[in-house]
Amino acid sequence: MSHVQNIKAASAVCYGRHEPDTRSPLIRKLEAFVFLSRQDRTALEQLSAGARLVEPRTDLQRDGEMATDAVLVLDGFACRYKHRVTGDRQILAYLLPGDLCDVDAPHLGRMDHAVGTLSTCLVARISRETLATLMAQQPTVARALRLAKLAEEATAREWLVNLGTRSAAERMSHLFCELLTRLEAVGLAEDDGCKLPITQLDLADTLGLSSVHVNRTLQELRSRGLVELRGRSLKLRDLPSVRALAEFSPAYLRPAH
Amino acid sequence: MSHVQNIKAASAVCYGRHEPDTRSPLIRKLEAFVFLSRQDRTALEQLSAGARLVEPRTDLQRDGEMATDAVLVLDGFACRYKHRVTGDRQILAYLLPGDLCDVDAPHLGRMDHAVGTLSTCLVARISRETLATLMAQQPTVARALRLAKLAEEATAREWLVNLGTRSAAERMSHLFCELLTRLEAVGLAEDDGCKLPITQLDLADTLGLSSVHVNRTLQELRSRGLVELRGRSLKLRDLPSVRALAEFSPAYLRPAH
DNA sequence: GTGGCGAGCTAACCTATGTCGATACGAGGC
DNA sequence: GCCTCGTATCGACATAGGTTAGCTCGCCAC
């Protein structure tokens, strides 16, 4: 089965067949922040038009180039990242289905980091004109996007705490809790588990660890009965314990609540 | 000499006596981004009214509370930080003279981190009404503040790279380069040196290291002839080498340039 | 089928950094 | 001038995590 088919199957599961909720992930996400009118939703639906499948490990915005338009992820995992001249990579943020990134690209000059896919992704590019019109005509949507941005900033702060103060197992648990919570919000998680279409090397570059140590830590969490990661699917076997280990509290993902 | 007198003396040195440039640090900072009209500058000057001296290690905004107004630092070092339940502290960002923080406090609900002084600081609190009026009446200032915010976000990304991928010596060098560059922009650095009114423990909590290791690293940098930190003043003895070690490039501090 | 390749996994060894405990030093309070 | 307390500093030791080098397995191309 090809990547493309994989993705289509996954989407089918998420958006329609088993799930009565047919809202797009972007709308689901924003409706966690604000109440959207029918027009708001219609306007948002239109952003998905022209979405395209993108191969894994493909840049969506290159470091150092002008940011032209915003990127909307509809399926798959993407990330912001930076490369050091040594070749090291640090992942700065995950872009999950429903995430609309670089809303204020227009202000921006050159990108100070890159954006790229981790897995195969379904993404739509939104021109700055489209975005400007949307923000002007649907103030509620504009407000929701601002709140989403605040959540992104709060997440960056959590990551700083993660990298600066937590042990490997704690860091990893925290990341898993965060991803699970965010995916739940867009209907892509159930039963304390979700798809995690990324490699251990990606995890390493997220957590500031070596891939060997990511592996070790994963085994440790598994043997403690906390977390299982097999194939590309993640399951938190003992959510309360994982949360406690990570000192995870989801409040930062819901600003102004 | 008391703290208060120390600060007053420092301010005198910076703003007037030896320096022909009498602009406030906020105006200096923003003028690096945009051209300010006379009215813009007058409006900004008024923000400093009612500034007060605050003791070191005093919270300006507490974690978990509603953010009421914005905080403008006129002198001294403050920071954003978070405490873990273990007691560990992670410093998330430095607030230097000229920094106006939480411009969009109004959107915010509860703070997800705290803001506090590191040294004695001269700070002004700006109510959200004052801020709203300013942003509405001086669009150029509003634009400059948005750019400053972008720089803050870019800085957070750099810090993630720092904590995630760099060694102790590299991290510390990077931080020093950043602080020097930012202080230069507001006229508080000269000759590759500046005041650094913080303890090694503060540095440790910034860099995700133990204070013992901060000390060791400092010695190493000193013995290599790169950096000297004595008393509360920092000197980069060999700026090119320090920059190279840190892979520091100041571009991220000047978005849209 | 075979070969190649990326990802996961393991083991052995190494080192950067943390921890603990003691000492030294400098500034402010009395 | 002495005491105290927060810092800075130092040495000895412990350990989390890095590095290197394999080996395996599943998937895809040919």
Side-chain angles (χ1 to χ4, degrees), chain A:
Chain A
M1 199 198 270
S2 78
H3 271 135
V4 172
Q5 287 170 322
N6 265 329
I7 285 293
K8 283 183 180 158
S11 302
V13 170
C14 310
Y15 298 160
R17 217 160 45 205
H18 301 296
E19 189 77 272
D21 193 334
T22 57
R23 293 175 293 168
S24 82
L26 175 59
I27 292 180
R28 285 191 73 135
K29 181 182 161 192
L30 297 188
E31 288 195 323
F33 294 135
V34 299
F35 176 78
L36 296 175
S37 70
R38 175 175 296 278
Q39 292 114 55
D40 289 332
R41 276 183 277 135
T42 317
L44 286 169
E45 299 280 12
Q46 282 159 8
L47 295 183
S48 310
R52 298 194 327 171
L53 274 172
V54 179
E55 291 288 296
R57 287 149 206 292
T58 310
D59 271 354
L60 300 172
Q61 311 246 14
R62 257 191 269 276
D63 197 351
E65 293 189 355
M66 297 303 279
T68 53
D69 31 39
V71 168
L72 169 61
V73 180
L74 294 162
D75 201 30
F77 276 40
C79 69
R80 302 176 186 279
Y81 72 93
K82 252 180 192 238
H83 264 128
R84 288 184 54 192
V85 298
T86 55
D88 288 351
R89 173 181 65 154
Q90 176 66 43
I91 291 181
L92 303 165
Y94 282 87
L95 302 172
L96 306 182
D99 284 343
L100 177 54
C101 98
D102 294 320
V103 170
D104 39 21
H107 301 295
L108 238 62
R110 315 203 157 273
M111 293 286 292
D112 63 359
H113 63 281
V115 176
T117 58
L118 293 168
S119 68
T120 302
C121 284
L122 186 60
V123 303
R125 306 199 80 109
I126 321 278
S127 74
R128 65 172 68 178
E129 294 79 24
T130 309
L131 210 50
T133 312
L134 176 71
M135 302 282 277
Q137 294 184 346
Q138 320 292 148
T140 308
V141 170
R143 177 170 145 73
L145 290 174
R146 272 197 301 274
L147 288 172
K149 176 111 190 274
L150 288 178
E152 224 186 287
E153 290 162 22
T155 303
R157 287 189 284 269
E158 280 295 329
W159 283 36
L160 283 170
V161 174
N162 228 14
L163 291 176
T165 73
R166 287 198 250 260
S167 72
E170 292 168 341
R171 278 184 223 185
M172 191 174 290
S173 304
H174 194 279
L175 178 66
F176 289 162
C177 287
E178 177 186 312
L179 290 177
L180 188 69
T181 304
R182 289 174 60 188
L183 288 171
E184 263 167 4
V186 291
L188 291 174
E190 52 184 10
D191 229 2
D192 298 347
C194 60
K195 286 270 163 55
L196 198 70
I198 65 179
T199 70
Q200 294 188 0
L201 223 156
D202 294 328
L203 281 177
D205 290 347
T206 305
L207 300 171
L209 301 169
S210 69
S211 64
V212 174
H213 201 62
V214 163
N215 190 289
R216 280 198 278 252
T217 307
L218 234 20
Q219 319 254 6
E220 182 202 329
L221 293 179
R222 189 178 309 156
S223 77
R224 288 167 65 183
L226 296 175
V227 163
E228 220 151 298
L229 178 57
R230 281 190 336 278
R232 296 277 126 117
S233 90
L234 172 71
K235 183 112 185 178
L236 304 195
R237 294 238 160 261
D238 181 356
L239 186 54
S241 300
V242 178
R243 286 199 171 183
L245 177 61
E247 284 178 18
F248 178 80
S249 138
Y252 68 93
L253 297 170
R254 310 283 305 276
H257 265 255

Side-chain angles (χ1 to χ4, degrees), chain A residues 251 257, chain B residues 59 61-67 81-82 108-115:
Chain A
H257 265 255
Chain B
D59 271 354
Q61 312 247 12
R62 255 192 270 277
D63 196 350
E65 293 188 355
M66 297 302 281
Y81 71 92
K82 250 178 196 243
L108 237 62
R110 316 202 155 275
M111 294 287 290
D112 63 357
H113 63 281
V115 176

